[in-house]
Amino acid sequence: MHRTVPSLPLAPSVKVKLINAGFQVASDLIDMRPLQLCKEAGISQEEAVEVLQMLRDDGQPHQQRAATESLTALDLLHQEQALGSIVTFCSALDDALGGGVPVGKTTEICGSPGVGKTQLCMQLAVDVQIPVCFGGLGGKALYIDTEGSFLVQRVADMAEAAVQHCTLLAEDTEQRQALEELTVEKILSNIFLVRCHDYVELLAEVYLLPDFLSEHPEVRLVVIDSIAFPFRHDFEDLSQRTRLLNGLAQQLIQLATQHSVAVVLTNQMTTRVSNGQSKLVPALGESWGHAATQRLILHWEGLRRLASLYKSPSQMEATIQYQITVQGFRDAPDEPRPTPATSAVSSPSGNHSKHPRMEDRS
Amino acid sequence: MVILREGICPGINEEFIKALQSEDIKTVEDFVSCNPEELAQKCSLSYKALVAVRRVLLAQYTAFPVSGADLYEELLSSTAILSTGNPSLDKLLDSGLYTGEITELAGSPGSGKTQVCFSVAVNISHQLKQTVFYIDTKGGMCANRLLQMLQSKTPNMEEQMEALQKIKVLRVFDVFSLLACLQNLRSNGLQKASVGGGSVKALMVDSVSAVLSSMLGGKQNEGMSLLMQVAGELKMIARDFSIAVLVTNHVTKDGNGHLKAGLGQSWSHVPRTRVLLQRIEGAETSSLRTATLTKSSRQACHLVEGFDLCHWSEERRTSISGKRKLEERSKP
């Protein structure tokens, strides 16, 4: 191994002692026995055992492969096509996102209270379970709730609507068979719910997620609703908060990539005052903006709900309109209907936003 | 500091080492900084043997000085300038990315750092036909987008696939894996890649701040050391293999509310050239961006160039036609 000792993931005090004893490269250490290392470097026996264990694990083919094997972009292309995405049942949003919420990436949903972030998360938890023959992923969902806003009755309504939608689409026998197994009870039983009360519980839960995902390889979606709530009160040291959030973001993207799950985070909004004007911006600070791979901002415009794709590595920026109905997260109707709509919010006539809109988001 | 082991030079055996260790001499440094006469008396080893070993060790481990003229010749023959494909950016960087140097792109979220990295990678792999290594730490690598960019350059499927094969992606998510990855590249990864066909000319790290920012500050005392190790590895790779290194960084606000690149003062000395990307005020939803040169050893600082992320290879036209192009593209 060509690793230098200062670059190994060990405690700093142990590393200082090893370096002072003259060990510079990992290959110097590999053939040593614990007692020998103990005497030469002046570290305790437990520390010596830990060091050698870590080096042995590092030499394992699995670990080596992660750091050394490179994929060509062509292989990555095939992998991405195989991963798929989770539909949101709002076709305008799906088009803007390039098919839906992508699996293997982190997506952040920001919005003011009541605009529909939790509704979208619950819709995604139902949509991830749509069987493969209908074009879905047929996977399970893990819902980490920090605010206590998860309502089972609402998810049941959405699940009911999803099953009805699939029933209308079923054409061949394979789909009809899959439909028999798709019941509201089954959908509810495939959502794992975790309730975290403060940031320590949240950090602990994310730390335990790799083991959980290894035991349940069918999980395709992890929702954290919301990630802002536990970090926005109770924190005196803001720089510590930034560090914790950055570490958390890296852990989440690692999970997303290694276990092929889509990670969805919800964020709140805060007001930023600059040049005498105030703007609504996503909370948790400037550096948190870099954390998620994709960022979706939901906002109001009068009575209409709009979603803007603010940051994405593969899609162009776009703003689309959506609405929340009894059935869940849906497209906004293009024209005003003559009959009273079943929607909770009716869109006013006028500007039809099939085209992405260029306007100020404040 | 190299530890004294038997076999690193003829004349050093087990007893020799034991005798030295009894005098608390464990490394080559300790050995050559001691007086051989005193050592011969204290350890009861032969003076001749000590002097001979000392001479061999000095010859093995010293660095030799190189004359400026030789260095200049070497630089002229090994440096290459890689065009980024965008004329405005090339103007800013004094015709492109220089091999042997680190260039940094900083910008707020959504300002286009990853898109610029993609465009540069596609240009190098397709136009210049060289291999590019892309280290992704944020999950932002999207091969679909690379394909989209290639499709706009050439309709030929074969060429697209060939170009995609020249871009090699490594995904690491924490600083220790990044260091392992860089050290592995330095010791055998890069040579293997150049043997396969198409020499490696560029390495991109997107982003270096994602893995380092959680280690800096507070009560942690390892952060700076890791930052410097990453910097050292990148510089060694750039120099030893004549590779252009492009890294991305996040931005923070300084005391007056202006944007500055992240990771602090110590990191600011590492890249040779630094560019700050920003959206244009008032046109927040368009794909137009401005690039400001914040550090350069070749051009005057604070040069600003505008460019359009959607139209990479074209010269920046006036703002009116830029908007018109934008409206054309937005029609489904």
Side-chain angles (χ1 to χ4, degrees):
Chain A
M1 289 238 57
H2 312 273
R3 302 281 307 266
T4 56
V5 166
S7 71
L8 295 174
L10 296 166
S13 51
V14 173
K15 274 201 260 192
V16 166
K17 292 192 190 145
L18 287 175
I19 294 172
N20 281 335
F23 295 102
Q24 229 187 2
V25 200
S27 45
D28 288 339
L29 285 170
I30 261 194
D31 304 315
M32 302 221 82
R33 322 286 339 259
L35 273 176
Q36 220 181 347
L37 187 58
C38 198
K39 256 186 263 174
E40 283 207 30
I43 53 180
S44 77
Q45 190 146 9
E46 291 91 24
E47 286 169 344
V49 170
E50 206 184 286
V51 169
L52 292 166
Q53 186 66 42
M54 192 231 79
L55 283 173
R56 215 166 299 136
D57 287 339
D58 224 23
Q60 291 295 333
H62 155 75
Q63 294 276 44
Q64 261 187 345
R65 211 179 302 133
T68 64
E69 215 174 72
S70 58
L71 302 167
T72 63
L74 196 57
D75 301 331
L76 207 58
L77 189 64
H78 297 314
Q79 262 189 16
E80 279 177 20
Q81 283 165 348
L83 280 178
S85 37
I86 307 175
V87 291
T88 59
F89 272 170
C90 169
S91 53
L93 188 57
D94 289 337
D95 287 336
L97 289 174
V101 172
V103 170
K105 306 231 187 280
T106 46
T107 307
E108 185 188 347
I109 303 176
C110 317
S112 333
V115 76
K117 312 184 288 294
T118 308
Q119 299 292 313
L120 179 54
C121 291
M122 294 197 282
Q123 184 71 56
L124 288 171
V126 168
D127 290 346
V128 73
Q129 303 182 40
I130 295 177
V132 180
C133 47
F134 282 101
L137 292 175
K140 303 191 182 176
L142 172 66
Y143 199 104
I144 302 178
D145 186 11
T146 57
E147 288 179 334
S149 48
F150 186 83
L151 290 171
V152 190
Q153 297 90 330
R154 187 71 179 118
V155 182
D157 290 340
M158 288 183 176
E160 181 76 47
V163 171
Q164 273 178 1
H165 185 89
C166 288
T167 319
L168 292 172
L169 287 178
E171 282 165 355
D172 54 34
T173 42
E174 196 193 338
Q175 289 180 335
R176 267 183 270 270
Q177 259 180 337
L179 211 47
E180 278 165 42
E181 291 169 22
L182 195 69
T183 61
V184 176
E185 285 79 28
K186 181 107 187 306
I187 293 184
L188 289 177
S189 69
N190 280 341
I191 302 180
F192 298 98
L193 180 64
V194 177
R195 177 86 171 90
C196 292
H197 296 93
D198 58 31
Y199 77 93
V200 181
E201 286 186 31
L202 181 60
L203 289 173
E205 182 60 39
V206 173
Y207 191 77
L208 296 172
L209 270 184
D211 295 328
F212 176 85
L213 290 174
S214 309
E215 285 167 31
H216 299 91
E218 332 78 41
V219 171
R220 285 274 93 81
L221 172 71
V222 174
V223 178
I224 302 184
D225 179 21
S226 68
I227 202 164
F229 185 71
F231 284 99
R232 286 189 83 192
H233 54 87
D234 267 4
F235 247 101
E236 288 117 20
D237 190 355
L238 285 183
S239 57
Q240 188 196 26
R241 183 179 88 168
T242 313
R243 276 195 301 280
L244 285 176
L245 284 172
N246 285 335
L248 195 60
Q250 289 304 111
Q251 282 179 330
L252 289 172
I253 184 65
Q254 188 170 15
L255 278 177
T257 320
Q258 284 177 349
H259 298 267
S260 301
V261 292
V263 176
V264 174
L265 310 166
T266 338
N267 195 1
Q268 297 167 348
M269 302 292 266
T270 182
T271 309
R272 188 198 299 165
V273 182
S274 64
N275 303 335
Q277 287 177 329
S278 68
K279 246 171 70 156
L280 259 158
V281 294
L284 296 181
E286 183 79 35
S287 44
W288 174 252
H290 298 269
T293 320
Q294 263 186 340
R295 193 176 233 193
L296 202 60
I297 300 188
L298 308 179
H299 54 107
W300 291 98
E301 195 189 80
L303 282 178
R304 301 193 305 152
R305 298 165 194 252
L306 300 174
S308 304
L309 185 62
Y310 188 77
K311 172 187 167 189
S312 167
S314 56
Q315 304 302 119
M316 240 182 91
E317 292 172 357
T319 305
I320 57 102
Q321 193 187 351
Y322 66 94
Q323 63 174 359
I324 314 280
T325 66
V326 167
Q327 291 118 0
F329 201 84
R330 293 288 186 274
D331 270 302
D334 285 322
E335 298 128 31
R337 295 198 187 164
T339 55
T342 52
S343 50
V345 174
S346 53
S347 68
S349 64
N351 244 317
H352 309 302
S353 53
K354 252 195 180 147
H355 305 285
R357 301 184 38 136
M358 321 289 174
E359 23 98 8
D360 215 339
R361 238 170 280 107
S362 51
Chain B
M1 281 199 281
V2 184
I3 203 174
L4 278 171
R5 283 259 161 83
E6 49 180 289
I8 57 174
C9 114
I12 297 193
N13 53 21
E14 189 82 50
E15 291 148 28
F16 199 85
I17 294 188
K18 277 214 185 91
L20 288 176
Q21 277 181 349
S22 63
E23 284 300 313
D24 209 23
I25 293 181
K26 296 190 188 145
T27 66
V28 170
E29 254 191 27
D30 298 334
F31 181 73
V32 299
S33 39
C34 280
N35 191 342
E37 272 184 39
E38 286 176 21
L39 210 51
Q41 283 171 352
K42 279 191 241 174
C43 303
S44 64
L45 291 168
S46 106
Y47 177 71
K48 257 197 191 163
L50 280 174
V51 166
V53 168
R54 189 162 189 271
R55 201 178 308 134
V56 175
L57 284 177
L58 278 173
Q60 260 184 342
Y61 290 102
T62 352
F64 287 100
V66 182
S67 84
D70 292 335
L71 204 57
Y72 185 61
E73 283 300 319
E74 195 198 313
L75 219 58
L76 275 185
S77 58
S78 62
T79 312
I81 307 180
L82 304 169
S83 160
T84 59
N86 178 320
S88 315
L89 206 55
D90 278 347
K91 214 191 297 177
L92 206 65
L93 294 173
D94 194 22
S95 45
L97 295 174
Y98 280 65
T99 58
E101 288 181 14
I102 303 181
T103 311
E104 179 194 87
L105 280 176
S108 19
S111 58
K113 310 183 285 298
T114 309
Q115 295 303 308
V116 172
C117 287
F118 283 176
S119 308
V120 176
V122 158
N123 191 64
I124 295 179
S125 71
H126 176 250
Q127 216 71 29
L128 307 173
K129 305 221 185 314
Q130 307 283 3
T131 310
V132 181
F133 266 93
Y134 194 106
I135 300 182
D136 178 28
T137 64
K138 285 168 62 178
M141 162 50 83
C142 187
N144 256 313
R145 179 74 181 117
L146 290 175
L147 184 63
Q148 229 176 39
M149 288 177 166
L150 280 168
Q151 279 166 344
S152 69
K153 281 184 182 259
T154 163
N156 184 342
M157 268 267 288
E158 285 247 353
E159 273 183 43
Q160 289 165 8
M161 295 301 133
E162 231 185 85
L164 279 182
Q165 279 183 322
K166 288 205 155 68
I167 302 179
K168 305 210 192 283
V169 178
L170 288 145
R171 286 185 287 189
V172 291
F173 302 105
D174 65 276
V175 67
F176 298 109
S177 317
L178 177 63
L179 281 169
C181 179
L182 289 173
Q183 281 166 354
N184 194 66
L185 277 179
R186 196 156 60 93
S187 45
N188 50 20
L190 288 168
Q191 277 131 344
K192 256 195 236 164
S194 1
V195 159
S199 55
V200 183
K201 275 288 166 229
L203 170 70
M204 305 193 178
V205 184
D206 177 25
S207 74
V208 84
S209 54
V211 291
L212 279 173
S213 49
S214 55
M215 305 295 287
L216 295 167
K219 298 217 191 85
Q220 298 172 107
N221 39 20
E222 250 210 311
M224 291 305 299
S225 148
L226 291 167
L227 187 147
M228 282 303 146
Q229 285 179 59
V230 171
E233 291 295 331
L234 288 173
K235 281 195 176 168
M236 281 194 274
I237 290 180
R239 268 300 269 139
D240 294 343
F241 297 95
S242 294
I243 284 183
V245 176
L246 181 64
V247 300
T248 57
N249 196 358
H250 69 277
V251 288
T252 50
K253 295 241 157 99
D254 66 9
N256 303 327
H258 297 141
L259 288 179
K260 63 171 187 184
L263 292 180
Q265 286 273 25
S266 322
W267 179 261
S268 68
H269 298 285
V270 174
R272 184 75 78 88
T273 317
R274 301 180 98 193
V275 175
L276 182 67
L277 289 177
Q278 282 168 303
R279 290 174 186 249
I280 296 189
E281 294 274 329
E284 255 106 35
T285 46
S286 77
S287 59
L288 300 168
R289 300 287 186 271
T290 56
T292 313
L293 193 63
T294 48
K295 176 184 174 189
S296 168
S297 43
R298 280 180 281 269
Q299 308 234 67
C301 277
H302 307 299
L303 279 181
V304 182
E305 285 287 335
F307 60 96
D308 191 340
L309 285 176
C310 288
H311 304 280
W312 190 248
S313 332
E314 293 160 19
E315 285 274 356
R316 170 99 207 286
R317 308 227 174 87
T318 62
S319 51
I320 301 171
S321 55
K323 271 202 182 132
R324 209 188 300 136
K325 272 204 157 52
L326 210 54
E327 280 157 23
E328 279 174 30
R329 275 191 74 85
S330 61
K331 291 209 178 81

